[in-house]
PDB file of all heavy atoms in Angstrom:
ATOM      1  N   THR S  22      30.968   8.892   5.419  1.00  0.00           N
ATOM      2  CA  THR S  22      32.371   8.448   5.152  1.00  0.00           C
ATOM      3  C   THR S  22      33.336   9.019   6.144  1.00  0.00           C
ATOM      4  O   THR S  22      34.501   8.634   6.168  1.00  0.00           O
ATOM      5  CB  THR S  22      32.784   8.888   3.690  1.00  0.00           C
ATOM      6  OG1 THR S  22      32.454  10.250   3.555  1.00  0.00           O
ATOM      7  CG2 THR S  22      32.081   8.053   2.654  1.00  0.00           C
ATOM      8  N   THR S  23      32.896   9.971   6.980  1.00  0.00           N
ATOM      9  CA  THR S  23      33.848  10.530   7.969  1.00  0.00           C
ATOM     10  C   THR S  23      33.388  10.285   9.408  1.00  0.00           C
ATOM     11  O   THR S  23      33.662   9.287   9.972  1.00  0.00           O
ATOM     12  CB  THR S  23      33.999  12.085   7.735  1.00  0.00           C
ATOM     13  OG1 THR S  23      32.708  12.650   7.732  1.00  0.00           O
ATOM     14  CG2 THR S  23      34.680  12.318   6.390  1.00  0.00           C
ATOM     15  N   PHE S  24      32.651  11.227   9.969  1.00  0.00           N
ATOM     16  CA  PHE S  24      32.193  11.109  11.375  1.00  0.00           C
ATOM     17  C   PHE S  24      31.348   9.885  11.594  1.00  0.00           C
ATOM     18  O   PHE S  24      31.478   9.226  12.641  1.00  0.00           O
ATOM     19  CB  PHE S  24      31.367  12.353  11.750  1.00  0.00           C
ATOM     20  CG  PHE S  24      32.235  13.534  12.064  1.00  0.00           C
ATOM     21  CD1 PHE S  24      32.250  14.617  11.212  1.00  0.00           C
ATOM     22  CD2 PHE S  24      33.025  13.566  13.227  1.00  0.00           C
ATOM     23  CE1 PHE S  24      33.064  15.706  11.478  1.00  0.00           C
ATOM     24  CE2 PHE S  24      33.816  14.677  13.518  1.00  0.00           C
ATOM     25  CZ  PHE S  24      33.825  15.751  12.652  1.00  0.00           C
ATOM     26  N   GLY S  25      30.494   9.570  10.599  1.00  0.00           N
ATOM     27  CA  GLY S  25      29.623   8.449  10.757  1.00  0.00           C
ATOM     28  C   GLY S  25      30.433   7.135  11.003  1.00  0.00           C
ATOM     29  O   GLY S  25      30.037   6.348  11.860  1.00  0.00           O
ATOM     30  N   ARG S  26      31.548   6.993  10.284  1.00  0.00           N
ATOM     31  CA  ARG S  26      32.366   5.818  10.446  1.00  0.00           C
ATOM     32  C   ARG S  26      33.027   5.824  11.851  1.00  0.00           C
ATOM     33  O   ARG S  26      33.127   4.789  12.504  1.00  0.00           O
ATOM     34  CB  ARG S  26      33.484   5.799   9.418  1.00  0.00           C
ATOM     35  CG  ARG S  26      32.963   5.370   8.045  1.00  0.00           C
ATOM     36  CD  ARG S  26      34.085   5.186   7.082  1.00  0.00           C
ATOM     37  NE  ARG S  26      34.917   4.093   7.435  1.00  0.00           N
ATOM     38  CZ  ARG S  26      36.158   3.912   6.982  1.00  0.00           C
ATOM     39  NH1 ARG S  26      36.701   4.820   6.183  1.00  0.00           N
ATOM     40  NH2 ARG S  26      36.922   2.907   7.351  1.00  0.00           N
ATOM     41  N   LEU S  27      33.450   7.026  12.250  1.00  0.00           N
ATOM     42  CA  LEU S  27      34.106   7.185  13.569  1.00  0.00           C
ATOM     43  C   LEU S  27      33.151   6.753  14.678  1.00  0.00           C
ATOM     44  O   LEU S  27      33.545   6.056  15.605  1.00  0.00           O
ATOM     45  CB  LEU S  27      34.468   8.650  13.748  1.00  0.00           C
ATOM     46  CG  LEU S  27      35.589   8.953  14.718  1.00  0.00           C
ATOM     47  CD1 LEU S  27      36.911   8.375  14.272  1.00  0.00           C
ATOM     48  CD2 LEU S  27      35.760  10.502  14.825  1.00  0.00           C
ATOM     49  N   LEU S  28      31.894   7.169  14.556  1.00  0.00           N
ATOM     50  CA  LEU S  28      30.896   6.869  15.567  1.00  0.00           C
ATOM     51  C   LEU S  28      30.501   5.388  15.643  1.00  0.00           C
ATOM     52  O   LEU S  28      29.996   4.902  16.609  1.00  0.00           O
ATOM     53  CB  LEU S  28      29.629   7.708  15.410  1.00  0.00           C
ATOM     54  CG  LEU S  28      29.819   9.195  15.644  1.00  0.00           C
ATOM     55  CD1 LEU S  28      28.625   9.981  15.152  1.00  0.00           C
ATOM     56  CD2 LEU S  28      30.043   9.478  17.119  1.00  0.00           C
ATOM     57  N   GLU S  29      30.793   4.661  14.534  1.00  0.00           N
ATOM     58  CA  GLU S  29      30.454   3.252  14.530  1.00  0.00           C
ATOM     59  C   GLU S  29      31.675   2.387  14.929  1.00  0.00           C
ATOM     60  O   GLU S  29      31.580   1.178  14.933  1.00  0.00           O
ATOM     61  CB  GLU S  29      29.977   2.856  13.131  1.00  0.00           C
ATOM     62  CG  GLU S  29      28.481   3.225  12.962  1.00  0.00           C
ATOM     63  CD  GLU S  29      27.961   2.926  11.576  1.00  0.00           C
ATOM     64  OE1 GLU S  29      28.585   2.172  10.849  1.00  0.00           O
ATOM     65  OE2 GLU S  29      26.917   3.499  11.259  1.00  0.00           O
ATOM     66  N   MET S  30      32.766   3.036  15.304  1.00  0.00           N
ATOM     67  CA  MET S  30      33.965   2.371  15.686  1.00  0.00           C
ATOM     68  C   MET S  30      33.660   1.533  16.987  1.00  0.00           C
ATOM     69  O   MET S  30      32.982   2.021  17.884  1.00  0.00           O
ATOM     70  CB  MET S  30      35.040   3.381  16.000  1.00  0.00           C
ATOM     71  CG  MET S  30      36.411   2.851  16.283  1.00  0.00           C
ATOM     72  SD  MET S  30      37.544   4.202  16.493  1.00  0.00           S
ATOM     73  CE  MET S  30      37.083   4.871  18.055  1.00  0.00           C
ATOM     74  N   PRO S  31      34.179   0.307  17.054  1.00  0.00           N
ATOM     75  CA  PRO S  31      33.922  -0.483  18.263  1.00  0.00           C
ATOM     76  C   PRO S  31      34.424   0.219  19.544  1.00  0.00           C
ATOM     77  O   PRO S  31      35.544   0.772  19.523  1.00  0.00           O
ATOM     78  CB  PRO S  31      34.695  -1.796  18.043  1.00  0.00           C
ATOM     79  CG  PRO S  31      35.000  -1.817  16.629  1.00  0.00           C
ATOM     80  CD  PRO S  31      35.051  -0.428  16.123  1.00  0.00           C
ATOM     81  N   ALA S  32      33.692   0.231  20.595  1.00  0.00           N
ATOM     82  CA  ALA S  32      34.087   0.878  21.842  1.00  0.00           C
ATOM     83  C   ALA S  32      34.933  -0.093  22.657  1.00  0.00           C
ATOM     84  O   ALA S  32      34.868  -1.306  22.496  1.00  0.00           O
ATOM     85  CB  ALA S  32      32.868   1.280  22.596  1.00  0.00           C
ATOM     86  N   VAL S  33      35.740   0.478  23.524  1.00  0.00           N
ATOM     87  CA  VAL S  33      36.575  -0.364  24.414  1.00  0.00           C
ATOM     88  C   VAL S  33      36.449   0.182  25.850  1.00  0.00           C
ATOM     89  O   VAL S  33      35.928   1.260  26.062  1.00  0.00           O
ATOM     90  CB  VAL S  33      38.076  -0.331  24.005  1.00  0.00           C
ATOM     91  CG1 VAL S  33      38.299  -1.115  22.701  1.00  0.00           C
ATOM     92  CG2 VAL S  33      38.585   1.105  23.877  1.00  0.00           C
ATOM     93  N   GLY S  34      36.912  -0.593  26.810  1.00  0.00           N
ATOM     94  CA  GLY S  34      36.968  -0.124  28.176  1.00  0.00           C
ATOM     95  C   GLY S  34      35.803  -0.584  28.997  1.00  0.00           C
ATOM     96  O   GLY S  34      34.860  -1.275  28.455  1.00  0.00           O
ATOM     97  N   PRO S  35      35.704  -0.214  30.314  1.00  0.00           N
ATOM     98  CA  PRO S  35      34.599  -0.719  31.180  1.00  0.00           C
ATOM     99  C   PRO S  35      33.259  -0.308  30.740  1.00  0.00           C
ATOM    100  O   PRO S  35      32.301  -0.972  30.998  1.00  0.00           O
ATOM    101  CB  PRO S  35      34.943  -0.107  32.531  1.00  0.00           C
ATOM    102  CG  PRO S  35      36.291   0.545  32.405  1.00  0.00           C
ATOM    103  CD  PRO S  35      36.646   0.627  30.969  1.00  0.00           C
TER     104      PRO S  35
END
Side-chain angles (χ1 to χ4, degrees):
Chain S
T22 49
T23 55
F24 282 109
R26 284 187 65 199
L27 202 64
L28 291 168
E29 278 176 18
M30 186 176 72
V33 289

